[in-house]
Amino acid sequence: MDIATLRANHPDHWKLATAIRALAMDAVQAANSGHPGMPMGMADVATVLYRNHLKFDASAPHWADRDRFILSAGHGSMLLYALLYLTGYEQATLDQIKSFRQWGSRMAGHPEYGHLEGIETTTGPLGQGIATSVGMAIAEKSLKARFGAKVVDHKIWVIVGDGCLMEGISQEAIGLAGKQQLDNLIVLWDNNNITIDGRVTVSDITDQRKRFEASGWTVLACDGHDPDDIDRALTAAKKAKGPVMIDCKTIIGFGAPTKADSYAVHGSALGEKELAATKEAYGWPYGPFEIPAEIKAEWEEIGARGAAARAEWEERLDALSAAKKTEFERQMDHVVSKKLATAIRAFKKAQSEAAPKVATRKASEMVLAAVNPVIPEIVGGSADLTGSNLTKTPDITDFTPEDRKGRYIRYGIREHGMAAAMNGLYLHGGVRPYGGTFFCFTDYARGAMRLSALMGVPVVYVMTHDSIGLGEDGPTHQPVEHLAICRATPNTWMFRPADVIETAEAWELALSSEKTPSVLALSRQNLPTLRKTHSNANLTAKGAYVIEEAAGKRQAILMATGSEVEIALKARDILQAQAIGTRVVSMPCMELFAAQDEAYRRRILPPGAVRVAVEAAVRQPWDRWLLGERGSERKAGFVGMEGFGASAPAERLYQEFGITPEAVAQKVVSLL
Amino acid sequence: MDIATLRANHPDHWKLATAIRALAMDAVQAANSGHPGMPMGMADVATVLYRNHLKFDASAPHWADRDRFILSAGHGSMLLYALLYLTGYEQATLDQIKSFRQWGSRMAGHPEYGHLEGIETTTGPLGQGIATSVGMAIAEKSLKARFGAKVVDHKIWVIVGDGCLMEGISQEAIGLAGKQQLDNLIVLWDNNNITIDGRVTVSDITDQRKRFEASGWTVLACDGHDPDDIDRALTAAKKAKGPVMIDCKTIIGFGAPTKADSYAVHGSALGEKELAATKEAYGWPYGPFEIPAEIKAEWEEIGARGAAARAEWEERLDALSAAKKTEFERQMDHVVSKKLATAIRAFKKAQSEAAPKVATRKASEMVLAAVNPVIPEIVGGSADLTGSNLTKTPDITDFTPEDRKGRYIRYGIREHGMAAAMNGLYLHGGVRPYGGTFFCFTDYARGAMRLSALMGVPVVYVMTHDSIGLGEDGPTHQPVEHLAICRATPNTWMFRPADVIETAEAWELALSSEKTPSVLALSRQNLPTLRKTHSNANLTAKGAYVIEEAAGKRQAILMATGSEVEIALKARDILQAQAIGTRVVSMPCMELFAAQDEAYRRRILPPGAVRVAVEAAVRQPWDRWLLGERGSERKAGFVGMEGFGASAPAERLYQEFGITPEAVAQKVVSLL
């Protein structure tokens, strides 16, 4: 539908949608930076969505049963900001819009979760939004099954662009959502046929409708500038089978006289002249950031449209038993159950007595077997490595279209999609997710793992087969740089537990975390229980601690993590036999150790002794502890990996790469 | 087709295929580790492929015009190893098969490029093979256009499994190949309906045929155990339009009495009992690793089948002009043209005089404008950020189905697919690829970037917008940990040039590299030319050098990279004004600096001075240079990032995050 017809036939709609377009143009112009074309193109779809369909109440951004709206094409952030301002979200003021993309603004270049109420997830890295939304849709289904449709019954709406759909992660999301038949997920495709490099056809000829249908989606279509047609499609989508994709044919930069329908309007300000000409074409005689009061009032009515539904929902919530309501709110708010600490304490006590020799992946399974039954909001899963990651416990069943109470997700061979879905599961509220794959495939999931850290979403990555210790599968499957990668990433707890006790402590911390995701690097190979003296205190919480003290004068300190703590302890035996007093420090989490005060760090790593670190990985993160702490000595060494691994049985690899007690002891002796 | 029918109707085929199956079973059994099910399932398809279709000569594994065979489902490595042994590849001995997955064997758990002739690329991380193959297919088209179909005319055959097709990277590959209409690419889908977690339908219901068709592929199908039907499909595929996917319906672990058609046969040895029963079912009375001489001889005939074609090809190659033949061989063998050094030298001379103030991304474009016209094997591209990465030079046109001489690939919004395709472009021979995206989206490409490093494939990643200096797009687009990530990755040169001269030097090294991929982190913001004295020597080759000496007694050494070298130099001005003698070291490549001898490193970083490093990124990789070198002092500091960035203009971000000349000078003063 062209502008003239739209203005003539839909004057009420037109002024509402134009308010969005004007704000987007003005804000990008003022910042002289940003993406006006997408908001201008999708304003009609968004207007119909917010006006007629989206269940929300601008005065209650955290209403648990609201529909979620995800702008997967995050560069079009002004679309979302304009909607939040116009409908009356308290934090979304006009001043914020005026400070779009400036220091301290809630309205960043891309929507940043936590900066502004109404932003459901951080988007910008393309494809993350749609993949995160799949997790939200699963969370909705899960909570509905557990608490009933009276209190949980909403949709997840997602706007995606061509960029989102070209990213591989979108296929993982489409495949997972299709398999799970998530009919609460509705994807609105901004089909404008433009990417940064030109027409989409410059790089892609995919028939997106056919592609979505191939994975079991219902596909609908509409003219993205015809309010009636949009409304028809959105109405149909809410009743359709399976997840729904609506092909919304739009024009990027709709109405810009010289720049519409071209990449020129994608990623930079229109320029004063084109902006004025566009407002002229819109019949919008208002100055920058000027929204006539009656249009603002109409938008605020839309923002209040859901208030009655919310009030009714509050009543339904109150009608639940007190215990159920409390539990619902606890889970939605991610309040950690006291049962966690109790379960972990009992587990540690039993295991420090049993002292099993098990792989830490197995230890992790044992912890989960103790925790999953008492923490109902935990939803686990694996990217098709269940029997290797040991992520499924007997008490939980698969989450499927037939069993929405299932708490185990078969993510398929989709590490990136899994990580993004985990973010969505948590962000939705009511779910604390974990998911497993091989540690090396952190590589595949990096994009979403970084967003966990950036958003402060405490999901748990269960990364097994954490070193050359995995053996024969060889270097493609053997992480050597991945500990360094996770440790270099801000706001990430990289745990590498040494035994069953540290594994339990790491899990306790990971499941109690409020703002930091955790990565658990777990061994394939069996490891002895090293902490045989039970302590209720969580020693892993300190990041590092003395696991074995030096006998006699302390001449050396060995530091290690995970499977190498055993090696360090054996090296200590060799050194002590030579009367070299050797302390062994287990350092399951460098980030938590770094967060301790200097006095504690100095107590664990006092000056005056040779320091040697042992880890079957690259040295990069260790220099700080070897050399960087006040009082440390120049005499320091590292036993680990200098390059990629190889294919052979694990014991042979440790020998060949020289990660042995003898080599560690030798290193100490040579430094003394 | 069931075993009885197959044996009865196709006895010749049967014994050939059974030799593959037997070797796979025996090798996995001997290693007690590996994946027998896939080779057992795909043996029939592979037999027909090698027997009737694949253009190869086992005595000439490096024949430039051979068909490439890629086992994307790399866990089925024994399929490939068996084929290479049976057809008579010299390196693929029976002893190697017997040492499958053992230390020192050429036959690793997954096929490792460089370990064994006949392995065209490393596979194992799922989806990499198919995405790498797309690059090989592009290389074939490019070379054919440049050198003619008489010397370049072959196919790329790929076996993929369900795992490959669930990985997002496969969609990027499918989309790119479809757009490029690569009719030399034939994908054989091992459609066995089994993944590690069970039936494929546990996690996916995608109609793969429809999905490939949606991206412009021709889709064929066959019974993967019926030689005639396989042959019919493969014959049709060679003449079909566009890239071709053949849906080969197979049974995993074909013929194993209790384990066939289940995940039990996917990833572990059959066990002696099942193995014996399977051989019984096969009518294969031979012991472990025993292949009857006549069957081996038949296979070797197949291995020699292409010898005549190769001889004819050699004649056609000889019929080229001497210059053209030499150039063809130079490009296929990746011999660096002398024109590169000449072009770079002239460029550096001109630029050190002109001393432009340009972003290093712009400097990179200027270098490419000088280099691309004289190095015809360079093929550039970008993941839909051409105008931002500045990766396209005026002399090269787009590679399209209509213009196969084009040397610029519009990869689309497919960072991972691009990186894998670049690996394939190089591995094919005849092409030296570079490709661009934002540095932050290293995250998306990590899986394939790691393989570049593991394989020793010297592709060039042009990563622009390399820090908070990109400004308003905010933290989702601002790398802070990515320098650390690349530096932690073995066999990777992480360049961060400070100006136009260092950019040229980095490009020279990257384009001359024989075994190491390069990552160029380039600024969005303008930077002054700092190296105004022309030197023919490539100072960047040393990794670090003194860019400004201390005046008077040296009390401080500042180290920096990229955009922060300018800041370090300004800090030096402040310090020198306070009579604090300050050396500034530019360190564009830590890996190359680490590779220098200790004498050089000590000359650049002598003892006795305070050291401060400046980099708008996390500290992790710097501790070594601040603290770890012999003779360095405890007095060291870092000015950089401690967490994620923010959305605001770049200058403001540098101020707010305290990465300023004043802060650096202050740090030095506080340490003195």
Side-chain angles (χ1 to χ4, degrees):
Chain A
M1 185 170 284
D2 61 22
I3 288 187
T5 315
L6 184 51
R7 282 179 66 179
N9 295 358
H10 301 278
D12 288 350
H13 167 91
W14 174 253
K15 62 189 178 187
L16 292 170
T18 307
I20 297 173
R21 292 187 166 103
L23 286 171
M25 294 190 296
D26 288 340
V28 173
Q29 190 63 36
N32 195 26
S33 160
H35 301 77
M38 186 278 190
M40 293 164 72
M42 282 298 278
D44 295 312
V45 172
T47 298
V48 174
L49 173 63
Y50 271 67
R51 194 179 183 194
N52 301 347
H53 297 279
L54 191 77
K55 180 164 82 170
F56 77 112
D57 178 350
S59 72
H62 302 288
W63 175 19
D65 198 35
R66 71 192 180 279
D67 283 0
R68 269 59 167 180
F69 171 66
I70 312 300
L71 190 70
S72 190
H75 53 276
S77 55
M78 269 310 305
L79 177 72
L80 177 58
Y81 300 153
L83 287 162
L84 296 178
Y85 161 65
L86 289 167
T87 54
Y89 281 74
E90 190 182 347
Q91 293 182 341
T93 64
L94 197 58
D95 281 345
Q96 290 291 338
I97 290 187
K98 288 178 183 168
S99 67
F100 175 56
R101 289 183 158 240
Q102 304 310 304
W103 179 262
S105 174
R106 292 183 181 277
M107 297 186 181
H110 294 80
E112 301 284 344
Y113 177 72
H115 287 215
L116 176 65
E117 287 174 343
I119 297 174
E120 303 281 5
T121 183
T122 294
T123 52
L126 293 172
Q128 294 293 335
I130 182 173
T132 303
S133 300
V134 173
M136 293 185 185
I138 291 173
E140 196 268 353
K141 290 288 183 194
S142 174
L143 284 162
K144 187 185 286 174
R146 290 190 279 131
F147 291 98
K150 286 188 179 167
V151 288
V152 183
D153 188 25
H154 55 268
K155 302 283 182 187
I156 320 294
W157 303 84
V158 193
I159 289 182
V160 302
D162 292 298
C164 293
L165 296 189
M166 265 196 254
E167 292 288 0
I169 189 176
S170 68
Q171 183 63 27
E172 302 186 16
I174 292 166
L176 181 57
K179 155 65 199 174
Q180 289 291 351
Q181 286 295 299
L182 301 170
D183 58 13
N184 52 351
L185 179 64
I186 302 170
V187 169
L188 308 163
W189 171 32
D190 177 17
N191 177 10
N192 62 30
N193 197 28
I194 294 292
T195 73
I196 291 174
D197 271 13
R199 296 265 152 208
V200 167
T201 46
V202 159
S203 55
D204 197 36
I205 57 167
T206 297
D207 178 339
Q208 297 291 357
R209 296 188 195 186
K210 196 166 173 176
R211 176 185 170 209
F212 276 81
E213 282 170 356
S215 289
W217 288 56
T218 294
V219 173
L220 305 172
C222 68
D223 175 343
H225 299 297
D226 177 343
D228 289 344
D229 202 38
I230 297 166
D231 190 64
R232 175 198 53 74
L234 268 56
T235 303
K238 289 193 288 189
K239 295 172 214 149
K241 194 178 150 294
V244 182
M245 189 274 267
I246 307 178
D247 175 351
C248 307
K249 192 76 206 79
T250 62
I251 296 169
I252 192 171
F254 187 65
T258 72
K259 295 187 172 178
D261 194 28
S262 87
Y263 61 93
V265 75
H266 166 81
S268 47
L270 288 171
E272 291 294 354
K273 204 175 137 198
E274 180 86 356
L275 198 161
T278 307
K279 284 193 176 176
E280 175 76 28
Y282 288 170
W284 184 266
Y286 312 110
F289 304 107
E290 190 186 341
I291 305 292
E294 77 277 11
I295 298 179
K296 181 72 166 78
E298 262 190 72
W299 266 116
E300 286 178 6
E301 262 180 56
I302 293 169
R305 188 172 51 77
R310 183 172 66 85
E312 289 162 24
W313 175 83
E314 303 268 9
E315 282 172 24
R316 294 197 298 276
L317 185 68
D318 287 338
L320 295 182
S321 72
K324 195 166 181 187
K325 183 185 171 190
T326 304
E327 182 63 9
F328 177 74
E329 290 176 335
R330 182 191 70 75
Q331 293 189 26
M332 282 304 294
D333 296 345
H334 300 298
V335 176
V336 180
S337 164
K338 292 199 175 68
K339 291 176 183 165
L340 175 64
T342 310
I344 295 288
R345 202 176 313 135
F347 179 88
K348 280 172 62 182
K349 189 159 197 311
Q351 296 305 325
S352 59
E353 283 160 19
K357 180 165 182 168
V358 292
T360 47
R361 64 179 170 139
K362 178 70 185 171
S364 166
E365 183 188 42
M366 292 157 63
V367 175
L368 288 171
V371 165
N372 280 348
V374 295
I375 313 287
E377 68 266 33
I378 291 178
V379 172
S382 164
D384 197 53
L385 285 168
T386 298
S388 298
N389 301 143
L390 301 178
T391 31
K392 188 167 184 299
T393 53
D395 59 304
I396 58 177
T397 57
D398 285 0
F399 176 86
T400 65
E402 297 74 38
D403 179 10
R404 297 302 197 193
K405 285 192 178 171
R407 288 166 50 202
Y408 191 77
I409 301 174
R410 304 281 180 174
Y411 284 107
I413 300 113
R414 305 182 178 109
E415 299 81 7
H416 203 179
M418 173 176 75
M422 283 164 62
N423 286 338
L425 282 163
Y426 189 91
L427 287 166
H428 178 278
V431 175
R432 194 174 269 268
Y434 69 82
T437 183
F438 286 169
F439 189 34
C440 210
F441 301 142
T442 302
D443 287 341
Y444 279 52
R446 262 292 299 172
M449 291 176 76
R450 185 178 205 251
L451 283 189
S452 309
L454 180 58
M455 292 192 280
V457 172
V459 299
V460 187
Y461 294 101
V462 184
M463 300 308 213
T464 69
H465 297 61
D466 71 345
S467 74
I468 53 167
L470 72 82
E472 293 90 341
D473 273 348
T476 54
H477 287 53
Q478 290 164 353
V480 295
E481 70 273 42
H482 301 79
L483 290 166
I485 289 172
C486 294
R487 288 167 181 157
T489 306
N491 193 38
T492 300
W493 286 342
M494 177 67 250
F495 291 105
R496 191 161 183 256
D499 69 358
V500 65
I501 304 298
E502 283 191 8
T503 304
E505 292 179 342
W507 265 112
E508 181 176 30
L509 294 162
L511 292 173
S512 310
S513 172
E514 291 180 3
K515 298 228 170 266
T516 303
S518 297
V519 182
L520 273 59
L522 303 171
S523 76
R524 178 190 184 212
Q525 69 273 36
N526 286 340
L527 302 174
T529 299
L530 304 173
R531 286 252 302 279
K532 288 170 189 156
T533 316
H534 174 59
S535 138
N536 274 339
N538 186 321
L539 301 186
T540 301
K542 296 280 192 186
Y545 63 93
V546 177
I547 193 163
E548 193 79 48
E549 192 44 283
K553 181 173 176 276
R554 181 176 56 235
Q555 293 178 265
I557 301 175
L558 304 179
M559 297 178 266
T561 74
S563 43
E564 285 73 75
V565 177
E566 180 187 12
I567 292 173
L569 288 166
K570 287 182 179 164
R572 177 185 175 278
D573 292 343
I574 297 171
L575 291 164
Q576 291 285 166
Q578 299 171 39
I580 299 171
T582 304
R583 166 184 284 194
V584 177
V585 171
S586 180
M587 197 180 286
C589 183
M590 286 190 184
E591 298 74 34
L592 289 172
F593 185 53
Q596 304 307 310
D597 59 26
E598 195 187 339
Y600 180 80
R601 299 205 309 273
R602 208 175 155 82
R603 202 154 74 235
I604 303 303
L605 299 178
V610 159
R611 293 185 191 179
V612 171
V614 202
E615 187 168 75
V618 299
R619 174 171 171 153
Q620 186 172 282
W622 283 98
D623 280 321
R624 170 167 183 185
W625 311 113
L626 289 170
L627 309 161
E629 288 282 278
R630 191 162 73 81
S632 67
E633 296 298 308
R634 187 83 5 233
K635 288 180 179 169
F638 179 70
V639 174
M641 297 293 290
E642 291 186 356
F644 294 109
S647 171
E651 304 71 29
R652 181 69 183 267
L653 293 174
Y654 272 87
Q655 288 293 330
E656 294 287 348
F657 289 112
I659 306 174
T660 61
E662 295 73 25
V664 174
Q666 179 53 40
K667 177 76 80 180
V668 169
V669 170
S670 72
L671 287 165
L672 275 172
Chain B
M1 186 171 280
D2 62 22
I3 287 187
T5 316
L6 184 51
R7 283 180 66 178
N9 296 358
H10 302 277
D12 289 351
H13 167 91
W14 174 253
K15 62 190 176 188
L16 293 171
T18 306
I20 297 174
R21 293 187 167 103
L23 286 171
M25 293 191 297
D26 288 340
V28 173
Q29 189 65 36
N32 196 24
S33 160
H35 301 77
M38 187 277 191
M40 293 164 74
M42 281 299 279
D44 295 312
V45 172
T47 298
V48 174
L49 172 64
Y50 271 66
R51 194 179 184 193
N52 302 347
H53 297 278
L54 192 77
K55 180 164 81 169
F56 78 111
D57 177 350
S59 72
H62 302 288
W63 175 19
D65 200 34
R66 70 191 181 280
D67 283 0
R68 270 58 169 180
F69 171 65
I70 312 302
L71 189 71
S72 190
H75 52 276
S77 55
M78 267 312 303
L79 177 70
L80 178 58
Y81 300 152
L83 286 162
L84 296 177
Y85 161 66
L86 289 168
T87 55
Y89 281 73
E90 190 182 347
Q91 291 182 343
T93 63
L94 196 59
D95 280 347
Q96 289 292 339
I97 290 187
K98 289 178 183 167
S99 68
F100 174 56
R101 291 183 158 238
Q102 304 310 305
W103 179 261
S105 174
R106 293 183 182 278
M107 298 186 181
H110 294 81
E112 300 283 344
Y113 177 73
H115 286 215
L116 176 65
E117 287 174 343
I119 297 175
E120 302 282 4
T121 184
T122 295
T123 52
L126 292 173
Q128 294 293 335
I130 181 173
T132 303
S133 302
V134 173
M136 294 186 184
I138 292 173
E140 196 269 350
K141 291 287 181 194
S142 174
L143 285 161
K144 186 185 287 174
R146 290 190 279 132
F147 292 98
K150 287 188 179 168
V151 289
V152 184
D153 188 25
H154 54 267
K155 302 282 183 188
I156 319 295
W157 303 85
V158 192
I159 290 182
V160 302
D162 292 297
C164 293
L165 297 189
M166 265 197 254
E167 292 288 0
I169 189 174
S170 68
Q171 183 63 26
E172 301 186 18
I174 292 167
L176 180 57
K179 154 66 198 174
Q180 289 292 351
Q181 284 297 296
L182 301 170
D183 57 15
N184 53 352
L185 179 65
I186 302 170
V187 169
L188 308 163
W189 171 32
D190 177 18
N191 177 10
N192 63 28
N193 196 27
I194 295 291
T195 73
I196 292 175
D197 271 13
R199 296 267 151 208
V200 168
T201 46
V202 159
S203 55
D204 196 35
I205 57 168
T206 297
D207 178 339
Q208 297 291 357
R209 298 189 193 186
K210 194 167 175 176
R211 175 184 169 210
F212 276 80
E213 283 170 354
S215 288
W217 288 56
T218 294
V219 173
L220 305 172
C222 68
D223 174 343
H225 300 296
D226 178 343
D228 290 343
D229 202 38
I230 297 166
D231 190 65
R232 176 197 53 74
L234 268 54
T235 303
K238 289 194 287 190
K239 298 173 212 151
K241 195 178 149 293
V244 183
M245 188 275 265
I246 306 177
D247 174 352
C248 308
K249 193 74 207 79
T250 62
I251 295 169
I252 192 171
F254 187 66
T258 72
K259 294 187 173 179
D261 193 29
S262 87
Y263 61 93
V265 77
H266 166 83
S268 48
L270 288 170
E272 292 294 354
K273 201 174 142 201
E274 180 86 357
L275 199 161
T278 308
K279 285 192 176 177
E280 175 76 27
Y282 288 169
W284 185 265
Y286 312 109
F289 304 107
E290 189 185 342
I291 305 291
E294 77 278 11
I295 297 180
K296 181 71 166 80
E298 261 191 73
W299 265 115
E300 285 178 8
E301 262 180 58
I302 293 170
R305 188 172 52 77
R310 183 171 67 85
E312 289 162 26
W313 175 85
E314 302 268 10
E315 282 171 27
R316 292 197 300 276
L317 184 68
D318 288 336
L320 295 183
S321 72
K324 197 168 179 185
K325 182 185 171 191
T326 304
E327 181 63 9
F328 177 74
E329 290 176 336
R330 183 190 69 75
Q331 292 188 28
M332 282 304 295
D333 296 346
H334 300 299
V335 176
V336 180
S337 164
K338 292 197 175 71
K339 291 176 183 166
L340 175 65
T342 310
I344 295 289
R345 203 177 312 131
F347 179 87
K348 279 171 63 183
K349 190 159 195 310
Q351 296 306 324
S352 60
E353 285 159 17
K357 181 165 181 168
V358 293
T360 47
R361 64 179 171 141
K362 177 71 185 169
S364 166
E365 184 187 42
M366 293 158 62
V367 175
L368 288 171
V371 166
N372 279 349
V374 296
I375 312 287
E377 68 266 32
I378 290 178
V379 172
S382 164
D384 197 53
L385 285 169
T386 298
S388 298
N389 301 144
L390 301 176
T391 31
K392 188 167 183 299
T393 54
D395 59 303
I396 58 175
T397 56
D398 284 1
F399 176 87
T400 65
E402 296 74 36
D403 180 9
R404 298 301 197 192
K405 286 192 176 168
R407 288 166 50 202
Y408 192 78
I409 300 174
R410 303 282 180 173
Y411 284 106
I413 300 111
R414 304 181 178 111
E415 300 80 10
H416 204 180
M418 173 175 75
M422 285 165 62
N423 286 339
L425 283 162
Y426 188 92
L427 287 166
H428 178 277
V431 174
R432 195 173 269 269
Y434 68 82
T437 184
F438 286 169
F439 189 37
C440 210
F441 300 143
T442 304
D443 287 339
Y444 279 52
R446 261 292 300 171
M449 292 176 75
R450 185 176 205 255
L451 283 190
S452 309
L454 180 59
M455 291 192 281
V457 172
V459 299
V460 188
Y461 294 100
V462 184
M463 300 309 215
T464 70
H465 298 62
D466 70 346
S467 74
I468 53 167
L470 71 83
E472 293 89 341
D473 273 348
T476 53
H477 287 53
Q478 292 164 352
V480 295
E481 70 273 43
H482 301 78
L483 290 166
I485 289 172
C486 294
R487 289 168 181 157
T489 306
N491 192 39
T492 301
W493 287 342
M494 176 68 250
F495 292 106
R496 191 162 183 254
D499 68 0
V500 66
I501 306 298
E502 283 190 8
T503 304
E505 293 179 340
W507 265 113
E508 182 176 28
L509 294 161
L511 292 173
S512 310
S513 172
E514 291 179 4
K515 297 230 170 264
T516 303
S518 297
V519 183
L520 273 59
L522 303 170
S523 76
R524 179 191 182 209
Q525 70 274 32
N526 286 338
L527 302 174
T529 299
L530 304 174
R531 286 253 301 278
K532 286 169 191 158
T533 314
H534 174 59
S535 139
N536 275 340
N538 187 321
L539 301 186
T540 300
K542 297 278 191 187
Y545 63 94
V546 177
I547 192 162
E548 192 79 48
E549 192 45 282
K553 178 172 180 277
R554 183 176 55 236
Q555 293 180 265
I557 300 175
L558 303 180
M559 297 178 265
T561 74
S563 45
E564 284 74 74
V565 176
E566 181 188 10
I567 291 173
L569 288 166
K570 286 182 179 164
R572 177 186 176 276
D573 292 343
I574 297 171
L575 292 164
Q576 290 287 166
Q578 299 171 42
I580 300 171
T582 304
R583 165 183 286 192
V584 177
V585 171
S586 180
M587 197 180 284
C589 183
M590 285 188 184
E591 297 75 32
L592 289 172
F593 186 54
Q596 305 307 310
D597 59 26
E598 194 186 340
Y600 179 80
R601 298 205 309 272
R602 209 173 152 84
R603 203 154 74 235
I604 302 304
L605 300 179
V610 159
R611 293 185 190 178
V612 172
V614 201
E615 188 169 73
V618 299
R619 173 172 172 153
Q620 185 173 281
W622 283 99
D623 281 320
R624 170 167 182 186
W625 311 113
L626 289 170
L627 309 161
E629 289 282 276
R630 192 162 70 83
S632 68
E633 296 299 307
R634 188 79 11 229
K635 286 178 178 171
F638 179 71
V639 174
M641 298 292 292
E642 292 186 355
F644 294 108
S647 171
E651 304 72 28
R652 182 69 183 267
L653 292 174
Y654 272 88
Q655 288 294 330
E656 295 286 348
F657 288 112
I659 306 173
T660 62
E662 295 73 25
V664 174
Q666 178 53 40
K667 178 76 77 179
V668 169
V669 170
S670 73
L671 288 165
L672 277 171

